[in-house]
């Protein structure tokens, strides 16, 4: 009974703050979409397509943070304090290098990048304006995510939540002021939304940085600078990182191919797809806490060689995620019609948006299981090659070909195109369950 209570305490201490944090982060997109949405379809599509490219950076950054979380969790399970410091600073340095690379791309060749997403000059110009500004926020996003990772591993997940509350409040206020030109400021439209986003990101970063400096300079814990790694540890690290980078990059690239498919079906269709994006983020974000908790809790169990506990706790979290996803799917179908009415867009866009929400709600429980079982549980053992193969097969063998065929060979409307290509999630799930039941992912990392 005591072991069960300890498990639930750890799960709730991580999952609830992470879920609330994801809820607030999703509010960035919802607030941006609602406010920018008052200015018409071109603004919606431009900001949405720019956000798709920015998501490439977010996905790769999340991959690096995922590796840091795997290694730090297992280090904590092994009570290896030097390993915790070494893996935090190493991954943070790599993440900062990635931020600099993406900032350079967004500032030097934004026209070329956005030209891949849309052939309409007005939409492309709007997307370029948004992308150039929002790229300035890549550095604070990097710092916030890496600090959040180590604090969650230390079961201090409420601190990133407080930082996100600050960010959400600043983003909402600044959106209102800068998009519409309130309190004497000029009305900047989509540029205002981008400026609001980056300023808010800096606010959140300084909040979490201030707490981290206080926490790790105190007597209770420390984070001394460590970078040195052995040749075997470096090889093991790259063996974990490379598959995650490859699969996350290729998955995100596939998502961008999907965005290009939607964009070329038609502006109304693309606007409807962009319109439901925040709901998808909100849905997955609310259950991402279980996935994050799974990676940390199971990682600690594996580091301490408690393999039976790891397997048993994994099945509990998979069940919790399934129940939660069913409840949320019912809510999406029930409330989707009210959500699309918020936007100042054509009735046709609203109608398409609601149909897309229904399609998403049907496939969402499968997506959630993949997120928790693959992205949280299996990944915690460092066997990331399994997940790389699963993601590559799902996205590029099934998802992308199905999207291209349904859109450009059969010329189907966007709703069946979206639903059919989303069936690749079912292929992923079958492969994920096979790997999970094999238990080959249950490994103590020696790094």
């Amino acid at each position: 009974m005591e072991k069960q209570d300890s498990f639930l305490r750890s799960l709730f201490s991580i999952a609830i703050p992470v879920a609330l944090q994801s809820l607030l982060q999703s509010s960035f997109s919802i607030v941006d979409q609602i406010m920018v949405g008052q200015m018409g379809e071109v603004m919606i599509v431009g900001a949405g397509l720019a956000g798709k490219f920015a998501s490439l950076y977010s996905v790769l950054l999340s991959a690096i943070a995922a590796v840091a979380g795997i290694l730090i969790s297992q280090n904590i399970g092994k009570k290896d304090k030097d390993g915790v410091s070494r893996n935090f600073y190493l991954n943070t340095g790599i993440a900062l290098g990635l931020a600099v690379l993406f900032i350079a791309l967004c500032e030097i060749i934004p026209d070329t990048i956005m030209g891949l997403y849309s052939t309409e000059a007005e939409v492309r110009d709007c997307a370029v304006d948004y992308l150039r500004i929002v790229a300035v926020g890549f550095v604070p996003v990097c710092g916030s995510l890496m600090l959040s990772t180590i604090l969650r591993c230390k079961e201090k997940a409420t601190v990133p939540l407080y930082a996100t509350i600050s960010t959400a409040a600043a983003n909402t206020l600044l959106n209102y002021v800068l998009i519409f030109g309130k309190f004497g400021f000029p009305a900047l439209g989509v540029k205002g939304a981008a400026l609001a986003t980056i300023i808010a990101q800096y606010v959140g970063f300084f909040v979490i940085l201030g707490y981290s400096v206080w926490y790790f300079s105190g007597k209770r814990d420390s984070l001394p600078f460590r970078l040195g790694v052995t040749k075997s540890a470096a090889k093991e690290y790259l063996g974990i990182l490379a598959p995650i980078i490859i699969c996350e990059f290729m998955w995100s690239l596939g998502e961008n191919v999907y965005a290009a498919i939607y964009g070329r079906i038609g502006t109304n269709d693309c606007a409807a797809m962009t319109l439901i994006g925040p709901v998808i983020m909100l849905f997955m974000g609310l259950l991402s806490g279980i996935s994050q908790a799974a990676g940390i809790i199971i990682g600690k169990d594996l580091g301490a060689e408690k393999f039976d506990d790891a397997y048993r706790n994994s099945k509990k979290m998979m069940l919790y995620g399934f129940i939660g996803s069913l409840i949320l799917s019912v809510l999406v179908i029930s409330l989707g019609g009210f959500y699309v009415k918020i936007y100042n867009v054509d009735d046709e866009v609203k109608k398409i948006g609601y149909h897309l929400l229904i399609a998403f709600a049907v496939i969402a429980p499968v997506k959630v299981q993949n997120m928790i079982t693959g992205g949280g549980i299996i990944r915690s053992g460092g066997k990331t090659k399994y997940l790389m193969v699963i993601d590559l097969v799902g996205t590029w063998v099934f998802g992308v070909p199905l999207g291209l065929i349904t859109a450009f060979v059969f010329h189907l409307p966007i709703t069946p195109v979206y639903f059919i290509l989303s069936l690749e999630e079912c292929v992923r799930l079958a492969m994920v369950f096979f790997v999970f039941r094999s238990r080959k992912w249950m490994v103590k990392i020696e790094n």
Side-chain angles (χ1 to χ4, degrees):
M1 187 68 174
E2 184 177 342
K3 185 180 290 187
Q4 172 69 6
D5 290 342
S6 176
F7 165 74
L8 290 175
R9 278 197 303 272
S10 294
L11 175 61
F12 292 148
S13 70
I14 300 169
I16 293 177
V18 170
L20 292 174
Q21 185 180 3
S22 296
L23 176 65
L24 288 167
Q25 287 171 335
S26 297
S27 77
F28 290 178
S29 295
I30 293 175
V31 170
D32 285 352
Q33 291 284 11
I34 291 174
M35 292 190 180
V36 174
Q38 307 306 310
M39 308 184 78
E41 286 86 350
V42 171
M43 289 286 191
I44 293 177
V45 176
L49 292 181
K52 280 295 181 182
F53 180 75
S55 71
L56 279 173
Y57 167 71
S58 298
V59 166
L60 292 175
L61 180 62
S62 296
I64 295 170
V67 176
I70 292 168
L71 297 174
I72 291 171
S73 295
Q74 290 224 5
N75 288 145
I76 291 173
K78 293 184 289 185
K79 296 179 169 48
D80 180 4
K81 291 186 177 180
D82 281 346
V84 171
S85 296
R86 183 175 62 250
N87 284 307
F88 171 74
Y89 288 113
L90 175 63
N91 283 283
T92 299
I94 294 171
L96 284 172
L98 180 70
V100 171
L101 172 62
F102 268 81
I103 290 171
L105 290 173
C106 292
E107 299 300 335
I108 296 171
I109 55 169
D111 296 276
T112 303
I113 293 169
M114 298 319 304
L116 299 173
Y117 291 84
S118 178
T119 57
E120 297 184 21
E122 192 176 4
V123 170
R124 187 172 62 250
D125 291 343
C126 181
V128 166
D129 289 339
Y130 187 90
L131 186 63
R132 274 184 167 149
I133 298 172
V134 84
V136 180
F138 288 168
V139 170
V141 167
C142 167
S144 296
L145 183 57
M146 299 310 297
L147 289 171
S148 295
T149 298
I150 191 167
L151 288 172
R152 286 171 184 161
C153 291
K154 296 281 186 178
E155 298 191 17
K156 300 292 180 183
T158 53
V159 180
L161 171 61
Y162 297 149
T164 304
I165 290 173
S166 303
T167 307
N171 185 64
T172 302
L173 175 62
L174 291 170
N175 261 321
Y176 176 71
V177 172
L178 298 177
I179 292 175
F180 303 113
K182 303 298 182 179
F183 306 116
F185 286 86
L188 300 176
V190 73
K191 291 182 181 180
L195 280 171
T197 298
I198 63 170
I199 294 171
Q201 286 165 345
Y202 273 99
V203 170
F205 169 65
F206 285 120
V207 169
I208 197 169
L209 178 63
Y211 176 87
S212 299
V213 170
W214 172 81
Y215 179 79
F216 288 112
S217 63
K219 295 180 180 179
R220 295 185 61 186
D221 210 341
S222 62
L223 194 64
F225 185 74
R226 298 281 188 275
L227 268 186
V229 293
T230 64
K231 187 175 181 179
S232 61
K235 183 178 179 181
E236 187 174 40
Y237 174 80
L238 291 174
I240 297 172
L241 176 63
I244 291 183
I245 290 288
I246 292 170
C247 80
E248 293 290 356
F249 178 79
M250 294 303 292
W251 171 83
S252 184
L253 188 61
E255 290 292 306
N256 278 262
V257 172
Y258 297 157
I261 291 172
Y262 304 144
R264 291 172 185 274
I265 290 176
T267 300
N268 278 355
D269 300 276
C270 189
M273 196 69 226
T274 305
L275 182 145
I276 73 163
V279 175
I280 296 175
M281 290 176 60
L282 182 62
F283 189 112
M284 302 303 290
L286 282 170
L287 295 172
S288 67
I290 299 177
S291 178
Q292 291 272 350
I296 294 169
I297 294 171
I298 305 305
K300 290 179 180 179
D301 285 341
L302 296 178
E305 300 185 52
K306 299 177 180 178
F307 299 118
D308 288 338
D309 286 349
Y311 194 75
R312 183 170 53 253
N313 290 335
S314 296
K315 291 194 289 186
K316 290 178 184 176
M317 285 185 274
M318 290 161 64
L319 176 61
Y320 298 155
F322 179 68
I323 294 171
S325 64
L326 287 180
I327 294 171
L328 289 178
S329 286
V330 172
L331 288 174
V332 168
I333 294 172
S334 302
L335 302 176
F338 297 102
Y339 169 76
V340 296
K341 291 178 181 178
I342 295 172
Y343 295 93
N344 182 27
V345 294
D346 291 344
D347 288 341
E348 180 64 18
V349 175
K350 294 178 183 179
K351 180 180 177 182
I352 297 171
Y354 179 58
H355 291 163
L356 286 169
L357 283 176
I358 295 174
F360 165 73
V362 172
I363 205 69
V366 181
K367 291 174 71 71
V368 169
Q369 280 302 307
N370 283 327
M371 177 178 67
I372 294 172
T373 311
I377 295 167
I378 293 175
R379 185 177 280 180
S380 67
K383 293 295 183 181
T384 53
K385 290 181 181 178
Y386 295 149
L387 299 176
M388 179 183 70
V389 172
I390 290 170
D391 283 345
L392 290 177
V393 170
T395 300
W396 293 97
V397 176
F398 288 90
V400 170
L402 286 174
L404 293 172
I405 291 170
T406 53
F408 305 124
V409 176
F410 294 110
H411 302 288
L412 296 180
I414 192 168
T415 301
V417 169
Y418 171 72
F419 182 75
I420 292 170
L421 69 82
S422 294
L423 292 177
E424 54 100 357
E425 294 285 353
C426 298
V427 176
R428 290 175 193 260
L429 188 62
M431 299 172 73
V432 162
F433 276 173
F434 176 80
V435 173
F436 175 77
R437 290 176 62 85
S438 74
R439 300 196 184 202
K440 291 181 179 179
W441 56 274
M442 300 174 67
V443 176
K444 176 183 176 181
I445 300 172
E446 297 303 327
N447 183 3

